[in-house]
Structures are given as C-alpha cells and as structure tokens.
Amino acid sequence: MLRFLWLVAALVVAVPAWAANVSLSLGVSTIEASQTTRATVTVVGEQPAALPSFPATPGVRIRFRERASEFVSTPSTGIVQTYRYIFEVTPEGEGVYPIGPAEVGFRDKTVKKTESVTLTVRPRTAMGAPKEEIVAISKFRRESVWEGEIVLYDATLTARINIRDVQWSFPDFEGLQVPANVSAQTTQTRIGDPSGDITIVKTVIPLIAAGTGDRTQPPAVARVSELSNRMGPFGIAQSRQRNEPATRSPLTIRPLPKGPDDFSGLVGEFSIHSTLEKTEKVKVGESVGWTVTILGDGVVDGFDLPELKDLKGVRVYRDESHTAGGLVEGEYIGRKTFSMVLVPTERGVIELPDLTVVVFSPKEGRYVTKKVELGKLAVLGSGTKLEFEDFGTPGEVDSTEGAEPVDLEEVYTWGAATTVPLAPVLPLVLILVLGPGLLVLVADGVGGVRAWVARRRGPAREVRGKARLKAPPADPAERLAVCDLALREALADRTGVAVGELRRDAAMASLPPEVAENVQQAFFGLDRARFAGGEMPEDAVARVRIAIDQLERAA
Amino acid sequence: MIALLCTLAWAGPVADGATAWEAGDIEAALEAWKPSADGGWGSGQVKFDVGNAYYRRGDLPRAIAYWRAAGVYRPRTSGVSHNLALARSELTGVPTPVGAPQLWMRIVTPGELGLIGLFVAGLGSMALVHRRRTREGSRLPGIGASLLGAVLVLLASWGWWVQTGMPVAVVVDAPAIGRVTPDLEAEPELTLRPGAEVAVLREMRDFLLVETGDGDRGWVPDGAVLRIPR
C-alpha cells in the first residue's frame, strides 16, 4: 500500500512538464467469461509518435478503440497535456491474463514501457446472466474501523440499460466527517457483455471516523436517468427518472486505545521521508534546506512535526508547510510537507538525531513509531564556532539551550533608496513599442484589401465608341463633343489606328460606300453644328449611333 | 547619467543609514532609511534595511512587514528569505504566512516580467518593420514575438494589479481579534498574534477582511495590522 502511495505521490510531485510518463490501467480488473473490458494507456507530457503497442497475450484480443487528449493542471507540474489511448480487451476464456506492458514510442525514437496489469476472467455467473436492469450498492469498504481513520464509502450503480446520468442521495453520515477540501470521485466504466453492455458508475467518498460505536448508515438512493428508445422533439432521446435504493451500510468505529504522550494524532498507514539539500561541504552559518514529508492513507491536516531536541551544533528554522489530501485512483492519500532550514553553528561532522513520529496503525491495531534517519552534516568553516551578537528577541522565543543563534543577513550599504514602479505604465509603453509593427501590419492589411478588391472587380473597362452615347450629356456643346469623339473612336477602331493618328479621309476611303456615306453624313451634321455655328440636329445622336453600328459591323 | 546614478547610490539614504548602522546607532539608521522606505517609491534595499533595523530593535512583526515588502521588489534575494525564516522561527502561535499572490512572483517581479515582455514585443515590432522594408521572409516571427511580448506585459500588469489589490499585512503590537462582521461588537472568529502575516481581501470603514495562510478569515481593525509598505 505504502509503495503504491509513494509511487503515486512521486508521479504527481516529480513529473516535470517536459517529461513523458506512461501508465496502463484496466476499466475493471475482474470480468466474467465472454465479457469485454477496456485498457487505457495514459501518456503525460509528450505526444507519442504512434499508437501504443501491446505484446501478444495468448487467449486475449486487444483492439484499439479511441483516443483523447486533455490538459491537466497541478500545482507541482503546471499545465501538462495528457493523451489517453483506449483499447478493447476481449479474453477468449476463463483465467488470469497479464496485459502489457504497453510500449509507447516517441518522436525522438525513445520507447517507454508501462507496467503490466492483470485481468482475471471468472466463470460466467450472476453478473453475466440476465438479471435486474439496475442494481445500486452502497457500502463502506471496511465495516470496522478505528476512530480518526479514513473510511471509504463506495456507491456503485450497475446498469444493463442505457442511462444518461446518476445522482446519489447519501445519508447524513452521522458520526463521520468529510475531510476539508476533499471531494468525492466518480468513475464510469463499461463492460461489453453478450446479453447487453453493462455500465458501472462508481462514486467514492472519503470520510473520517469521528464518533465511536455502531455507525451503520441508512441506504443511499440512486436517481437514474434512463434513456428510452423513443425520440423526443428535435431528435433528442427521451429519458425517465428511476430511484434505486441501495442497502444499509454497516460500520463500527472502535475507540483508540490509550496512547503514549507523544502520539502525533495520525491514524493510518504512514511513512516519513526526509531530504537534506546538502550534506557535505556545508559552511558554518550556511542555510541548508531540509524537507520532511509525511505520506499515508490518513488525514494529516492538523499534524505538526515534534520539536527537535538535542540538536547540538545546528539550529533549525521552520519555514512553510503544505498540506494535501485527496482521492487518487480510488484511494485516499494525505501528504504534508514541511520546509525547514538547518544552519550549522559549529564545524565538524554533526550527527543529526533520528526524527520519530508516533502514529496509530489500523492494520496492526496499535501505536507504532515511525522513524527517519536524518544522517550527518559535514560542516566546514574558518572558525570552530559561529560568532554572533546578542540581540533582543521579544515575545515568545524558542530558545534552544546550547545552540548558537544565527545572525541576520547584513544590510545594504549602498544602492538606490527609491525606485520607479514600472508596472502601472507597462500597457502604455507596450502600445508605443508595438506601434511601428502594428502600423506596418495595418498598412499591409489595407494594401492587401485594396489589391483584393481590385482583383475582385477585374480590369477597368474603357468607355469608348458607342458606349459614350448611352447617356449623352444634356449640354449641347458637351453632347456635340461626345458624339464627335465617339464617332472618331469607332472610325479609328475600324481602321486600326489610335484616335490621335486618325486621318479621316483616308479612313473613309477604306470603308464600303454605303457605310462611308452614313459616316460622312454623321460627320457633316456634327461639323456643321461646330463650325457653322448652327445647332446640332435633333437626330444627330441617332445618326452617329447608326454610323457607329455600321462601322462595327463592317469591322 | 551613470555618474549621477552612482553618486545617488553611494551617497543616498541607503549609504547614510548604513554608516549609522555600522556605528551601532540603529535609531539614526532607521531615521535615514524610513522616509524613503515609506515614501511610496522606496526600493527593495531600503525596505530590507528597515526590516533589519526593526529586528535589532526587537520589533519582529514590523521587521517581517518590511522584509515582505523587500521581497516584493527583490524576490530572488536569499537574504530576504533568510531573515524572514529567522524572524518567523522566533514567533509562536502565528498561522501559516500567506504566500505571494502568484507563484511566478517568487521568481520575478511584475516590473521585471513587463520589461522582458516589452523587449520581446519590441523585437517583434522591429522584425515586422524590417520585413516591410526588405520584403523578404515571413511576418510570422514578428507577429509571434509581438504577441508573446504583449501577453507577458499583460500578465505583468495583471500581476501588479493583483499584488496591489490584495496586499499583505502583518499584525503588530498586540493580538488582533478577527470578527465575523466589521463591527467591534461582532462575534470573534479568530485571534491573530503579532507577527501573523495575512492577506487583505477587503476594506470597509476602519476594518479589513483578512485571510491567513490556513484559509481562516475575519474582520480586524485597520490599526491592528501594518500593511506592507509599497
């Protein structure tokens, strides 16, 4: 158990964001013949290059089903991405089958292996045979516990029909307390079965055994949303509510036997781990970080380390402590970490005394003393003792007999006394700094939009020839000029020269006679209006149009 | 400019106070440092020195307050954590000290993070201008650096805002009674001994809603605590 706890804690604490960790788990570890379960390969921190692979296990078929990824954030690791690869595991018959280890390959050609797990396949009996559609069971994992111990309450719903969700109404848990900042854990598993898939929804609640005596709890009730085959409006499957009561949950809480004076108050299976930042070449007066972690399946919230006595040649300064507790893989884990600083005050090899904590072990039913060896500190230094000044220490002072106090870090003897706070003006400076780049982007964007609009519109069509006469100007002089230009453009186009290079006589000579006559008459009407001072004939525009039409047809 | 800064650094209040300190005159040193430390724009050095002076005077809560203030400006300075650990080890019955509002503030100040962000954003902006002139290469590096810089600057601004909005206070002089409501007649909820480092969550009339590092809350009179001088 403790090995498992340490493994989980080490995984949670030590996984840096860049390191990939792989693990393998089964949906359920025991199924019945002809049933199917799922195996999940979880990869934390790095995306695998390919699907995880399993070694061939005789009598078991493993098929890839689906994959998913999510971001997980923990205080110790920050945000890490987790990839889950789900496989369907179908054993051919009864027996015990090792599954895995799965191999996961990464892009840098490294391959990591998970641990292997065991799948037990029992003969087909009650669970496999068709029975009730829904079965609700709630019970304490152990029916007899000690006062102060963590007891896990399992509420399990097994359904052979399609369900949407399950909501439990739990009893008041009289005589039990929910640990601070801990919430229940719910998992859902699906087992493939020839007589219909089985859905198992399991909720685990950790509780502290507070009262003593018979603490049997009334039954919990599961409120199940059962999906029907009928479709409702908008194609949504209809559901109906069902209440499924479980049975009473027996529990007896035994009072703790009279304990020793130095009992720490911890009830559970615990282990203590100590880490010294440095053990060799430590200087007198140097601060050496010291971390003590206590980990186990009990509540550690109110626990404090015992006072360290007989520490000759070293002083201990307490810093921060961090408490964590919660469910991991269905088991409760409590962990408290104490950060301290050791400051040697003498040179030489200092033997640090063992740290002992008295806990009550429910497994053994007695008080046990957990001990951790702190080891030795090899201290160097120019003097044999740290020199210090006597200074006032008001209030309640933790004076350690025989130990030398550590002095302050010295004051700054030079430096600026004032500093300009930069943070309030950061957004303004950011705008100034980003300004040139933003202007460039905006200018490029505007240019791009213009080019796009121009491309969408296509090349501009020149208005010339007959098109000029679509809406002739009202002003007679302008109309005359437009008609003359349109006719000359048409003639120039017919002749194949530019308007400025047009020689009217030569162009007219090249026209068929009937076209030339019409064009000549049109020019005549315009020339008369222009040069003879007469008004433009009313039919001049029509004549010019006809002439242009003929010119275009002749062309 | 450099000469002026050096002159100010060597001959300013920090140096004046240090001279008195080395002569053993703690009161004179405090007199030299304190106006700058409390003036609003006090540097990390001067706040640290004031903390030392209070410690020598035996006023551990005020020493802690000024060292916490110094830690805001100089989070990576080992002297701050050393002295804080020293003072905390001499206090008993105080709750767990509240930490920095954000984890990253233990490593870098919002101002420093903002400068890094401005530098990165400036590089990105320059890259965009350069690309516009030469018409070579992609805009993506410039846009990416600009965005990264902007994100860092915004994070720094937000961090500064959080730091200012939720200051740390230290109980000084006498135990402070935390009450359920901001009223002297209200039911007491917790007692904070001098030296308790708490986060100020809200302010109402002459009361502050404070929270300890253990998550306990209560309204305490404003005068019972010293908000870390910023």
Side-chain angles (χ1 to χ4, degrees), chain B residues 5-229:
Chain B
L5 287 174
C6 287
T7 309
L8 285 174
W10 285 103
V14 176
D16 293 347
T19 308
W21 174 269
E22 280 163 9
D25 191 348
I26 294 171
E27 296 305 320
L30 200 53
E31 203 174 310
W33 290 325
K34 206 154 179 307
S36 301
D38 293 345
W41 285 13
S43 68
Q45 285 106 316
V46 79
K47 290 178 200 298
F48 179 85
D49 289 355
V50 171
N52 277 25
Y54 274 119
Y55 183 86
R56 284 281 192 252
R57 269 176 44 165
D59 192 343
L60 293 187
R62 281 189 173 76
I64 288 173
Y66 278 91
W67 285 329
R68 293 275 322 228
V72 169
Y73 290 83
R74 307 176 70 85
R76 298 178 302 279
T77 308
S78 62
V80 174
S81 1
H82 174 93
N83 287 1
L84 274 173
L86 182 65
R88 285 169 182 160
S89 70
E90 296 179 22
L91 295 169
T92 53
V94 291
T96 308
V98 290
Q102 298 293 315
L103 278 179
W104 58 265
M105 289 180 190
R106 295 182 182 184
I107 303 164
V108 64
T109 67
E112 289 167 343
L113 184 68
L115 276 180
I116 295 168
L118 286 177
F119 179 71
V120 175
L123 281 181
S125 191
M126 282 166 57
L128 286 171
V129 172
H130 178 72
R131 190 254 161 210
R132 165 88 170 179
R133 281 186 178 172
T134 59
R135 301 276 177 191
E136 285 176 3
S138 165
R139 289 191 194 93
L140 281 181
I143 293 173
S146 299
L147 282 177
L148 176 66
V151 167
L152 290 177
V153 170
L154 292 176
L155 180 65
S157 297
W158 174 75
W160 175 79
W161 181 75
V162 169
Q163 213 173 45
T164 314
M166 274 184 62
V168 172
V170 182
V171 177
V172 291
D173 299 330
I177 309 292
R179 299 178 188 277
V180 180
T181 55
D183 188 347
L184 285 175
E185 303 297 321
E187 189 185 336
E189 202 164 36
L190 73 159
T191 303
L192 299 167
R193 301 185 70 168
E197 297 160 61
V198 293
V200 179
L201 305 180
R202 280 177 64 193
E203 194 173 348
M204 189 179 283
R205 300 194 296 275
D206 293 334
F207 282 84
L208 303 174
L209 176 62
V210 299
E211 185 179 67
T212 68
D214 301 323
D216 298 324
R217 290 183 178 192
W219 290 89
V220 298
D222 194 359
V225 297
L226 173 66
R227 283 189 251 190
I228 67 167

Side-chain angles (χ1 to χ4, degrees), chain A residues 140-146 148-153 176-177 204-209 251 253 297 332:
Chain A
F140 290 102
R141 211 170 282 182
R142 287 169 51 216
E143 293 183 1
S144 176
V145 295
W146 293 93
E149 191 183 345
I150 282 280
V151 55
L152 297 172
Y153 182 81
L176 297 155
Q177 284 179 0
V204 184
I205 305 174
L207 298 159
I208 306 169
L251 179 71
I253 302 176
D297 58 1
Y332 183 85

Side-chain angles (χ1 to χ4, degrees), chain A residues 159-189:
Chain A
R160 291 189 161 278
I161 53 176
N162 280 332
I163 58 171
R164 179 173 286 160
D165 64 80
V166 182
Q167 288 178 339
W168 286 93
S169 292
F170 293 111
D172 290 340
F173 294 122
E174 203 177 317
L176 297 155
Q177 284 179 0
V178 180
N181 305 320
V182 174
S183 53
Q185 191 179 62
T186 300
T187 52
Q188 184 165 335
T189 316

Side-chain angles (χ1 to χ4, degrees), chain A residues 479-490:
Chain A
R479 191 162 64 235
L480 174 63
V482 166
C483 288
D484 181 60
L485 181 59
L487 189 56
R488 280 192 293 117
E489 281 173 349

Side-chain angles (χ1 to χ4, degrees), chain A residues 453-477:
Chain A
V453 169
R455 279 199 303 276
R456 293 273 297 174
R457 282 182 178 163
R461 282 190 300 173
E462 193 183 358
V463 177
R464 58 186 287 125
K466 203 169 117 183
R468 291 187 186 275
L469 302 179
K470 276 187 179 170
D475 181 63

